[in-house]
Amino acid sequence: MSQTAPTGDNKPNPEAGSVVFKRKGFQFMGLGTQDFIRFFFGGNASLAIIILILICVFLAKEAFMFFPQHHAGLKDYRQSGQEFVDYIGDEIGAHTNLYSSANIAYFAEVNRTSREEDDILRAHRAVLANLENLTSKTWGRFEREVDALEDVGDDLEDLDPAKEEDQPKIAALQEEKERLEKEIVKFRVELKEEVSAAINTNEAWELGVGSDAPPPESLPKLREAVLFEASPEVDEEHPYIAELKAVSKAKKAAAVEEFADFKATLKAMQDVVRPLKSLHSEIRSIASENKAVLVKLSTAADRKEAWIKGAAATKDPDEKARMLAEAEKVVIEAPDYDAMAEPFYEVIPEHAALIAPIDTEMAVLFQQLPDKVETRSAHENLKRAKVYYDRFVKTVAENRENIKGWSHEKPVSAVESVSSFLFGRDWITNSSWHDVYGLLPIFTGSLLISIIALVVAVPFAVSAAIYVNQLAPLREQNFVKPAIEFIEAIPSVVLGFFGILVFGETLRVVSQVEWLQWVPGFPMAERLTILNAGLLLAFMAIPTIFTLTEDALNNIPQALTENSLAMGASKLQTVFRVVVPTAVSGIIAAVLLGFGRIIGETMVVLLVAGNKIKIPDFTEGIGVIAQPTHTMTGIIAQELAEVDAGSLHWRALFMVGMVLFAISLIVNFSAQRVLKRFQKI
Amino acid sequence: MHDQATDPPLQKSENPFQKKITPQKRQDAVVSTVLRMATYFILICAAFIFLDIIRKGAPVVFQTEFPFVNTKFFTDSPETLMTFETEDGTFYKMDFSDYSQWKRDNPEGRIVEEHSHAYSGGGIFGPLVGTALLTIICIIVALFVGLTTAVYLNEYSSKGRFMDMVRLAIMNLAGVPSIVFGLFGLGLFCFVAPVITGEPQERSILNIPLFGGNFLAFQGWGTSMIAGGFTLAVMILPVIIAACEESLKAIPMGFREASLALGATKWQSISKSVLPYAFPGMLTASILGITRVAGETAPIMFTAALAHKDKLPWQDTDSIGGFFSQSVQAMPYHIYTVAARIPQSEYTKPMQFGSVFVFMVLVMCFAALSIFMRINYRKRVKW
Amino acid sequence: MKKTLALFAAVALVAGANAEDKIVIKGSDTLGAKMVPQLAEAYKEAGNEVSFEIAAEGSSSAFTNLLAGTADIGMSSRNIKDSEVDEFTAKGMEIKDWIGAYDMIGVIVNENSSIEGLTVEQIEGIFTGDITDWSEVGGDAGPISVYTRNTSSGTYKSFQEMAMNKRDYGADTQKMAGNEQIAEEVAKNANGIGYVGLAYTDKDGIKAVAVNDVELKPENAKDYPIARSLHYYTIDGKLSEAATKFLTWATTDEKAAEIVSRVGFIALSE
């Protein structure tokens, strides 16, 4: 990309005007063959340029049409009263979060007492399920034989032994019955053998991700119980398991006693918000209806026209009458916005009356939550509850202003329609309530994955480039360089495939390993995570960064290195004090271009990133890499096929494409600027 | 320098030219080893991915008896795979067409435990053909436009700020994500591009009447092979232009000047003295283009690809227009389908890894060819 | 420039020349991943000379493609929305609904989970993000990982309507491309929960929970709270003869019914 050496003057165009040298040839309108050839090339070049300009224009057109449409959507959102309803919804949401955290803390405490029994019971279920999978084939056959035996029995009952003509049938069925009974006995033995063989395999003892192993002293008994229950004759619980269940239940009951106060507080918390919830659901349905009216209005004119057109086209008089009647039914008039908003203004005092006691009571109830708990989970959840409580108080305080100031007539500003896209924290589409297009969740997802990919890729790619270019013997160079360039050709869908079928599971298994638990985010519950996608993309970016870095190192004037060596510097000193510092801007450009490649990659992130549209939870620090996320490229690939051309959703996706386009242009442009500085040296 | 100062004085018995291991050298060796390990770690990762796919995919494609290659995998199109057990406990696994045959042959055979696995039987002929067609269309269009543009930019255009800007723009577009080109292709080729037709569709945005009751309708080509091919072509256009221009630039000015001095016209000198020498470079560029295009999924997802098509493209149409306006299956999209959209089980694995294996080997062959050619070209051409 | 014009003209030849006997089916993944390809294969097996093109991107794509004229039949796992009907009428088209089969949406959890049943309210809480830990619904403690279909899916929408009181999915939910991906993830995540069509619940590693104490079994279809019908949509009066014949076969023939139940849906006759 970088060695574009200046080529002298490429225009040695001899003046062909002189009469002496004038050649006769094809002439048309004073233009010769040469001119036409020139036009042909020029025409194609302009075509190429036109196409490339078209891309920008077209994308920009589709994308920027988003804002007027979005603006209209926001207006509907306000006029229908949905905005008002969501204010109250926020209060309830904040309360629900608080309640949920406290609730988790409560259960963590209650379940703590019976933890050991629960672990064994969980292992018991897991092993039984594993055994069933391992022996499913024989089981299936066994069950079919049992069914067949039952059928034969039923048939026998239907036949009358007294009747003469039924005798041969009865005899045949009796024979069949005996055969089946023998088969079943045989199968039982077979199954028993299979089960006792299977229980010795490692697969049988795979307990699933994230579950704690049962205490070792319980294992022999557990094994006995599983063997007992897995055998084909038995249809009851092993006494050991039954006992465990009883103990666990008793312990939990005792714990519930112990934490009765906690439970009472939780219940009070739930009760106190109940009237607000019913108010909310009441006005929610009003707003929904309003919204439906507004949406219908937007297509009304077209529908009316279509019916009238259809009526004009059809010959059948009945059909014509029906269509005209349908056309008649379409209402185009704008509804009475004031009447639509009326119910919301009416509930303002009611809401104020409701929220005040909730606010004070929650303050009391929140204080009643226990501050000393034993399990870590409970501790963390109570801490989280504190955060949610503060958020609840804040929401309630803010809403006093919001609700007082709410007006369905307040115009939506243009800035709002832009900023709510660029800084919106939610991306909700195909909603029954209100579609929200906010860039932040997918943008942070893309960025986070790219950063991880770069953090991993840059050290490897740059060291490899330095090694290959400066230190490796020629023969090694000739092998390693093409080999790394070769990686670039792996199609991204193949890498995504590898990530989803092989690497994800490998990564998760690795994350369970005991001595790796210091790594943030480990153990990972998910297969498809930021880390998985980031590592695969790092692998994709390595060849790009490697090749460009290598180029940059190559372009260092030989004199510099020779000087350094001649001064007595060692090879490595030369590399790190002379070559690399000189090439640093080239390396930066390489990293930038690598970043451009990563952030625009689609298939890997679509398959592997986990597709969770949410701003990752950064409270876990670096552990955030174990979460799934969604990306800008992924969301386009996933949602574009489903949307109508020209709809708001379609334009939102084009807008995301536009953002990607802008990012890649900025990245490329700055890489070129950096390179230019480098070339000046 | 200072290393020498701190070195102990030479001992007489030693060979003065003997290599000394100074701390600096030891440090050099360590750092060098670390760098080397990083390099090989990359290669090991790559080898791991390759070997894993080969280990799981090769058994699908190759077999131990004659003809050693599973020809069915290459000549059939994907279909449903049936697995079932008969009452006597025999287990069968066959493609849906064979299954229907089997059922006809064994009317009394009672089937128990029957499962079906969509897209997991048959072979990959359909997707292979689709990818080949898409790639061919794309390369023809991209090379035609790209090559002529490069010739114009390098041979005809005057130097100046404007041309520099054009070049800069082209360079910049080379880095635009492929999905953005997919968006553009969907919007332009599938919904707006012009079509000559007797009855324009509802969605057409502009109808220009032509002779004989026909219209030039701007209604788009729909989801079709040609829309996909053009989208891919636009995507690699910047790359092709840049690569072709690069190889034209590499031809020394003297070639042109000598030709012109001998009285050749501009076109003669370009066609006789420049293009033939730039040809290998352009060939390399186009093979590189093929590698990139064949592996792309995002741009064809909405513009051309289909998950299931039971006829091959030429069986399905009676006109040239119809041929190009149909959607096709394509390898990358097929892999996406079998990797993420169908029920997974041990019976789907052969199709999954077999497809990936074949696809990877194909793309890799082209990649290897282009790398090999470039190295060869660099070695051979020294003006 | 001349040549480029010629090129465009050649391209422009592409006049919607659809071969008569080709049927293009697009839409729902629930129908398109398993049932419809097999119906198509069996239909051809039965001696009908047609060819099929099937793309399964989600129910919404059924309507966008019908609207754009790029599909003959749209498959949908949900009822058409009012706003979609409006779009069709706005273009002078009327839509026709064929019911293809019935389906129950199974709520699945990891087979090692201690959860056996949930109420609809609990499901609503889990999928909207109000409930975030298994202990809140009586299971062993652990953060719930929720897997849902992507937004174009009919299952996504019908689940929202039937089980979530039309509320929006919580932001923590992960959107998966297909039923199978959900089953795969839940099978591998001890704290996972998701929903899939009945046809996909028969897989190792997952189990379907009872909803409101009704177990997920075909015979409970009437009482099970999260059940729906699967549709084929066509444009009235614009359907080719071959496609009409296929749809009639697919919705009435006994062989078709056999396939429908084999892939795990409930045929109309049952």
Side-chain angles (χ1 to χ4, degrees), chain C residues 32-96:
Chain C
K34 257 182 156 182
M35 185 170 99
V36 175
Q38 290 184 35
L39 281 174
E41 274 161 357
Y43 183 64
K44 283 194 297 180
E45 207 56 55
N48 294 288
E49 296 260 322
V50 286
S51 71
F52 287 93
E53 281 182 10
I54 298 165
E57 297 287 343
S59 293
S60 295
S61 66
F63 304 111
T64 51
N65 280 299
L66 282 175
L67 210 52
T70 45
D72 300 316
I73 300 172
M75 319 174 263
S76 170
S77 55
R78 60 169 167 84
N79 285 314
I80 186 167
K81 282 187 274 184
D82 275 354
S83 60
E84 282 162 343
V85 175
D86 288 350
E87 277 175 42
F88 280 99
T89 36
K91 290 200 167 179
M93 296 186 251
E94 274 184 80
I95 200 117
K96 188 174 176 195

XYZ file of all heavy atoms in Angstrom, chain C residues 32-96:
475
model
N -39.218 -22.730 7.968
C -38.306 -22.891 6.838
C -37.091 -23.741 7.109
O -36.440 -24.213 6.179
N -36.756 -23.951 8.391
C -35.547 -24.709 8.654
C -35.775 -26.204 8.493
O -34.886 -26.931 8.103
C -35.028 -24.405 10.049
N -36.969 -26.657 8.799
C -37.192 -28.096 8.788
C -38.394 -28.480 7.951
O -38.302 -29.264 7.016
C -37.451 -28.572 10.225
C -36.276 -29.252 10.854
C -36.657 -29.717 12.239
C -35.780 -30.866 12.701
N -36.191 -31.329 14.015
N -39.545 -27.904 8.287
C -40.787 -28.433 7.751
C -40.913 -28.200 6.252
O -41.128 -29.147 5.497
C -41.965 -27.791 8.489
C -43.293 -28.359 8.083
S -44.577 -27.775 9.164
C -45.289 -26.474 8.224
N -40.763 -26.967 5.823
C -41.049 -26.667 4.425
C -40.049 -27.331 3.457
O -40.477 -27.881 2.447
C -41.165 -25.143 4.216
C -41.343 -24.819 2.748
C -42.348 -24.612 5.007
N -38.744 -27.346 3.739
C -37.860 -28.071 2.823
C -38.266 -29.530 2.655
O -38.225 -30.068 1.541
C -36.488 -27.972 3.488
C -36.556 -26.795 4.360
C -37.977 -26.655 4.788
N -38.686 -30.134 3.742
C -39.064 -31.546 3.627
C -40.393 -31.723 2.915
O -40.583 -32.677 2.162
C -39.108 -32.179 5.010
C -37.706 -32.303 5.567
C -37.671 -33.001 6.882
O -38.437 -33.916 7.129
N -36.770 -32.575 7.735
N -41.309 -30.796 3.146
C -42.571 -30.841 2.400
C -42.269 -30.708 0.910
O -42.827 -31.429 0.079
C -43.494 -29.709 2.848
C -44.241 -29.919 4.151
C -45.004 -28.658 4.534
C -45.207 -31.087 4.036
N -41.372 -29.796 0.598
C -41.036 -29.568 -0.809
C -40.441 -30.829 -1.422
O -40.807 -31.247 -2.521
C -40.059 -28.404 -0.923
N -39.530 -31.447 -0.687
C -38.907 -32.661 -1.203
C -39.951 -33.759 -1.412
O -39.962 -34.433 -2.440
C -37.816 -33.138 -0.245
C -36.479 -32.457 -0.507
C -35.524 -32.559 0.666
O -35.894 -33.116 1.721
O -34.388 -32.072 0.528
N -40.833 -33.914 -0.439
C -41.844 -34.962 -0.550
C -42.817 -34.655 -1.687
O -43.287 -35.552 -2.375
C -42.594 -35.094 0.765
N -43.080 -33.369 -1.868
C -44.023 -32.977 -2.917
C -43.457 -33.332 -4.292
O -44.152 -33.843 -5.160
C -44.274 -31.476 -2.818
C -45.293 -30.939 -3.799
C -46.611 -31.341 -3.745
C -44.917 -30.015 -4.773
C -47.543 -30.845 -4.633
C -45.839 -29.507 -5.664
C -47.152 -29.920 -5.590
O -48.080 -29.428 -6.467
N -42.170 -33.090 -4.457
C -41.551 -33.459 -5.731
C -41.503 -34.972 -5.877
O -41.695 -35.517 -6.956
C -40.135 -32.883 -5.808
C -40.143 -31.422 -6.118
C -38.776 -30.963 -6.517
C -37.825 -31.162 -5.360
N -36.474 -30.743 -5.682
N -41.259 -35.622 -4.747
C -41.205 -37.077 -4.742
C -42.530 -37.658 -5.208
O -42.588 -38.696 -5.859
C -40.900 -37.545 -3.309
C -40.219 -38.859 -3.204
C -38.922 -38.879 -3.990
O -38.064 -38.000 -3.763
O -38.797 -39.769 -4.824
N -43.605 -36.942 -4.878
C -44.928 -37.425 -5.239
C -45.228 -37.212 -6.716
O -46.357 -37.397 -7.159
C -45.985 -36.733 -4.377
N -44.243 -36.807 -7.467
C -44.409 -36.764 -8.912
C -44.785 -35.403 -9.467
O -45.262 -35.290 -10.586
N -44.567 -34.337 -8.701
C -44.882 -33.012 -9.211
C -43.631 -32.343 -9.765
O -42.591 -32.329 -9.117
C -45.462 -32.152 -8.088
C -46.787 -32.686 -7.636
O -47.787 -32.583 -8.325
N -46.786 -33.324 -6.466
N -43.775 -31.809 -10.960
C -42.629 -31.208 -11.640
C -42.512 -29.736 -11.279
O -42.952 -28.875 -12.033
C -42.800 -31.354 -13.145
C -42.795 -32.782 -13.630
C -41.448 -33.181 -14.190
O -40.833 -32.332 -14.849
O -41.012 -34.321 -13.951
N -41.944 -29.446 -10.120
C -41.752 -28.048 -9.748
C -40.370 -27.916 -9.121
O -39.744 -28.910 -8.776
C -42.784 -27.566 -8.699
C -44.129 -27.366 -9.323
C -42.858 -28.546 -7.555
N -39.923 -26.688 -9.001
C -38.689 -26.492 -8.256
C -38.944 -25.449 -7.171
O -39.855 -24.637 -7.282
C -37.569 -26.046 -9.182
O -37.811 -24.738 -9.609
N -38.126 -25.518 -6.140
C -38.367 -24.666 -4.981
C -37.153 -23.798 -4.668
O -36.014 -24.218 -4.875
C -38.648 -25.525 -3.748
C -39.991 -26.179 -3.781
C -40.132 -27.451 -4.299
C -41.100 -25.526 -3.295
C -41.361 -28.059 -4.330
C -42.339 -26.130 -3.317
C -42.475 -27.396 -3.839
N -37.440 -22.613 -4.174
C -36.384 -21.802 -3.574
C -36.879 -21.397 -2.197
O -37.978 -20.864 -2.077
C -36.113 -20.553 -4.412
C -35.257 -20.832 -5.609
C -34.946 -19.577 -6.404
O -35.250 -18.466 -5.918
O -34.412 -19.716 -7.497
N -36.072 -21.681 -1.193
C -36.522 -21.410 0.166
C -35.490 -20.562 0.892
O -34.300 -20.872 0.870
C -36.746 -22.730 0.930
C -37.839 -23.542 0.237
C -37.143 -22.445 2.367
C -37.895 -24.970 0.685
N -35.929 -19.496 1.499
C -35.042 -18.705 2.345
C -35.765 -18.444 3.655
O -36.931 -18.066 3.650
C -34.676 -17.396 1.678
N -35.094 -18.698 4.752
C -35.752 -18.582 6.047
C -35.021 -17.584 6.926
O -34.078 -17.921 7.616
C -35.795 -19.948 6.727
N -35.458 -16.338 6.886
C -34.774 -15.293 7.639
C -35.607 -14.784 8.801
O -35.152 -13.965 9.573
C -34.443 -14.106 6.731
C -33.487 -14.415 5.604
C -32.068 -14.595 6.104
O -31.779 -14.171 7.227
O -31.270 -15.176 5.365
N -36.828 -15.240 8.896
C -37.697 -14.718 9.939
C -39.025 -14.305 9.342
O -39.099 -13.944 8.172
N -40.076 -14.374 10.162
C -41.422 -14.160 9.634
C -41.597 -12.816 8.954
O -42.296 -12.703 7.957
C -42.439 -14.281 10.763
O -42.474 -15.597 11.211
N -40.970 -11.771 9.521
C -41.169 -10.453 8.925
C -40.724 -10.431 7.480
O -41.295 -9.731 6.654
C -40.395 -9.401 9.711
O -40.922 -9.292 10.994
N -39.696 -11.227 7.169
C -39.210 -11.220 5.797
C -40.237 -11.827 4.853
O -40.192 -11.587 3.653
C -37.865 -11.938 5.707
O -38.024 -13.301 5.998
N -41.178 -12.620 5.365
C -42.238 -13.134 4.519
C -43.016 -11.972 3.915
O -43.282 -11.934 2.716
C -43.181 -14.019 5.329
N -43.358 -11.004 4.759
C -44.203 -9.908 4.290
C -43.415 -8.923 3.442
O -43.926 -8.430 2.441
C -44.862 -9.228 5.492
C -45.629 -10.214 6.320
C -45.206 -10.559 7.592
C -46.738 -10.852 5.790
C -45.888 -11.508 8.330
C -47.426 -11.803 6.528
C -46.995 -12.133 7.792
N -42.169 -8.652 3.838
C -41.394 -7.729 3.012
C -41.190 -8.306 1.628
O -41.248 -7.595 0.632
C -40.038 -7.415 3.661
O -39.416 -8.641 4.003
C -40.192 -6.577 4.884
N -40.972 -9.624 1.526
C -40.741 -10.228 0.226
C -42.013 -10.325 -0.595
O -41.984 -10.129 -1.805
C -40.103 -11.609 0.378
C -38.621 -11.515 0.636
O -37.883 -10.996 -0.175
N -38.179 -11.974 1.788
N -43.121 -10.635 0.050
C -44.388 -10.649 -0.680
C -44.682 -9.256 -1.221
O -45.076 -9.078 -2.367
C -45.534 -11.088 0.237
C -45.666 -12.582 0.528
C -46.762 -12.817 1.537
C -45.955 -13.362 -0.736
N -44.428 -8.293 -0.390
C -44.689 -6.903 -0.755
C -43.830 -6.483 -1.938
O -44.277 -5.812 -2.858
C -44.391 -6.020 0.459
C -45.172 -4.740 0.635
C -46.649 -4.981 0.565
C -44.823 -4.124 1.978
N -42.567 -6.931 -1.916
C -41.652 -6.548 -2.988
C -41.811 -7.444 -4.208
O -41.139 -7.248 -5.205
C -40.219 -6.602 -2.475
N -42.647 -8.444 -4.113
C -42.842 -9.347 -5.237
C -41.709 -10.328 -5.428
O -41.553 -10.897 -6.497
N -40.895 -10.546 -4.383
C -39.768 -11.459 -4.533
C -40.052 -12.831 -3.945
O -39.147 -13.648 -3.844
C -38.513 -10.868 -3.865
O -38.876 -10.344 -2.598
C -37.925 -9.771 -4.707
N -41.277 -13.083 -3.552
C -41.621 -14.421 -3.081
C -43.051 -14.747 -3.501
O -43.888 -13.853 -3.633
C -41.490 -14.502 -1.561
N -43.312 -16.045 -3.730
C -44.670 -16.460 -4.048
C -45.443 -16.747 -2.771
O -46.607 -16.424 -2.634
C -44.660 -17.740 -4.896
C -43.929 -17.524 -6.198
O -44.161 -16.476 -6.816
O -43.120 -18.385 -6.581
N -44.749 -17.403 -1.847
C -45.391 -17.794 -0.603
C -44.568 -17.247 0.550
O -43.339 -17.333 0.540
C -45.469 -19.333 -0.496
C -46.279 -19.911 -1.664
C -46.084 -19.742 0.838
C -46.241 -21.423 -1.740
N -45.240 -16.668 1.521
C -44.543 -16.221 2.720
C -44.877 -17.166 3.862
O -46.039 -17.511 4.060
N -43.842 -17.598 4.588
C -44.112 -18.448 5.746
C -44.045 -17.560 6.973
O -43.134 -16.745 7.095
C -43.029 -19.517 5.916
C -42.539 -20.164 4.666
S -41.168 -21.262 5.050
C -39.755 -20.234 4.669
N -44.969 -17.737 7.868
C -44.944 -16.907 9.059
C -45.377 -17.711 10.266
O -46.330 -18.472 10.200
C -45.864 -15.700 8.879
O -45.991 -15.049 10.115
N -44.664 -17.529 11.353
C -45.061 -18.234 12.558
C -45.892 -17.345 13.457
O -46.070 -17.622 14.621
C -43.829 -18.756 13.297
O -42.947 -17.704 13.550
N -46.359 -16.246 12.936
C -47.268 -15.396 13.717
C -48.345 -14.863 12.782
O -48.212 -14.947 11.561
C -46.507 -14.225 14.334
C -45.851 -13.345 13.294
C -45.335 -12.074 13.921
N -44.435 -11.352 13.041
C -44.845 -10.515 12.091
N -46.133 -10.325 11.865
N -43.967 -9.874 11.342
N -49.384 -14.311 13.377
C -50.403 -13.689 12.552
C -49.857 -12.410 11.957
O -49.002 -11.755 12.539
C -51.622 -13.355 13.409
C -52.424 -14.584 13.730
O -52.692 -15.387 12.847
N -52.762 -14.737 14.996
N -50.382 -12.077 10.795
C -49.957 -10.826 10.179
C -50.435 -9.663 11.039
O -51.519 -9.700 11.617
C -50.487 -10.737 8.733
C -49.928 -9.511 8.039
C -52.009 -10.763 8.691
C -50.158 -9.537 6.542
N -49.588 -8.632 11.149
C -49.951 -7.480 11.974
C -50.876 -6.561 11.203
O -50.839 -6.512 9.974
C -48.689 -6.691 12.356
C -47.894 -7.322 13.460
C -46.766 -6.402 13.907
C -45.531 -6.566 13.061
N -44.379 -5.792 13.461
N -51.669 -5.804 11.927
C -52.572 -4.857 11.268
C -51.809 -3.906 10.366
O -52.222 -3.612 9.251
C -53.338 -4.045 12.323
C -54.568 -4.798 12.788
O -54.832 -5.863 12.194
O -55.236 -4.332 13.723
N -50.677 -3.438 10.894
C -49.931 -2.449 10.123
C -49.417 -3.071 8.826
O -49.295 -2.401 7.810
C -48.773 -1.905 10.955
O -47.906 -2.949 11.305
N -49.156 -4.378 8.867
C -48.685 -5.045 7.653
C -49.822 -5.206 6.642
O -49.633 -5.012 5.445
C -48.065 -6.398 8.004
C -46.669 -6.263 8.574
C -46.193 -7.489 9.322
O -47.029 -8.338 9.696
O -44.985 -7.593 9.547
N -50.993 -5.557 7.166
C -52.158 -5.636 6.276
C -52.356 -4.290 5.591
O -52.593 -4.204 4.381
C -53.417 -6.022 7.069
C -54.634 -5.970 6.164
C -53.275 -7.396 7.672
N -52.201 -3.228 6.374
C -52.358 -1.887 5.815
C -51.383 -1.639 4.674
O -51.736 -1.042 3.668
C -52.138 -0.837 6.909
C -53.299 -0.803 7.885
O -54.318 -1.450 7.567
O -53.177 -0.165 8.930
N -50.160 -2.108 4.861
C -49.171 -1.887 3.808
C -49.578 -2.586 2.528
O -49.350 -2.084 1.426
C -47.799 -2.370 4.257
C -47.069 -1.350 5.109
C -45.770 -1.895 5.641
O -45.077 -2.570 4.859
O -45.477 -1.673 6.819
N -50.124 -3.787 2.678
C -50.557 -4.499 1.484
C -51.716 -3.778 0.810
O -51.712 -3.569 -0.397
C -50.956 -5.945 1.829
C -49.771 -6.858 1.957
C -49.251 -7.174 3.196
C -49.172 -7.387 0.831
C -48.153 -7.998 3.311
C -48.074 -8.220 0.936
C -47.559 -8.524 2.178
N -52.697 -3.396 1.615
C -53.828 -2.713 1.003
C -53.386 -1.401 0.393
O -53.890 -0.988 -0.646
C -54.945 -2.451 2.023
O -54.352 -2.141 3.263
C -55.852 -3.638 2.166
N -52.419 -0.747 1.001
C -51.938 0.512 0.454
C -51.355 0.308 -0.936
O -51.264 1.229 -1.722
C -50.904 1.137 1.377
N -50.921 -0.922 -1.233
C -50.388 -1.194 -2.561
C -51.400 -1.953 -3.408
O -51.046 -2.503 -4.449
C -49.097 -1.984 -2.446
C -47.978 -1.157 -1.877
C -46.637 -1.752 -2.196
C -45.547 -0.735 -1.896
N -44.235 -1.300 -2.167
N -52.616 -2.005 -2.935
C -53.661 -2.641 -3.733
C -53.604 -4.149 -3.738
O -54.065 -4.789 -4.660
N -53.012 -4.740 -2.708
C -52.944 -6.195 -2.665
C -53.760 -6.699 -1.483
O -53.848 -6.041 -0.449
C -51.502 -6.660 -2.508
C -50.623 -6.303 -3.677
S -49.010 -7.032 -3.481
C -47.999 -5.622 -3.148
N -54.322 -7.859 -1.670
C -55.021 -8.472 -0.548
C -54.301 -9.748 -0.173
O -53.830 -10.488 -1.031
C -56.462 -8.761 -0.921
C -57.352 -7.559 -0.697
C -58.786 -7.874 -0.983
O -59.445 -8.474 -0.130
O -59.228 -7.530 -2.086
N -54.243 -10.001 1.101
C -53.430 -11.118 1.540
C -54.315 -12.290 1.925
O -55.413 -12.121 2.422
C -52.533 -10.663 2.709
C -51.353 -11.607 2.871
C -53.286 -10.560 3.997
C -50.074 -10.939 2.635
N -53.814 -13.479 1.608
C -54.595 -14.669 1.932
C -53.811 -15.531 2.912
O -52.599 -15.700 2.764
C -54.877 -15.439 0.650
C -55.836 -16.579 0.877
C -56.226 -17.245 -0.425
C -57.101 -18.442 -0.137
N -57.230 -19.315 -1.284
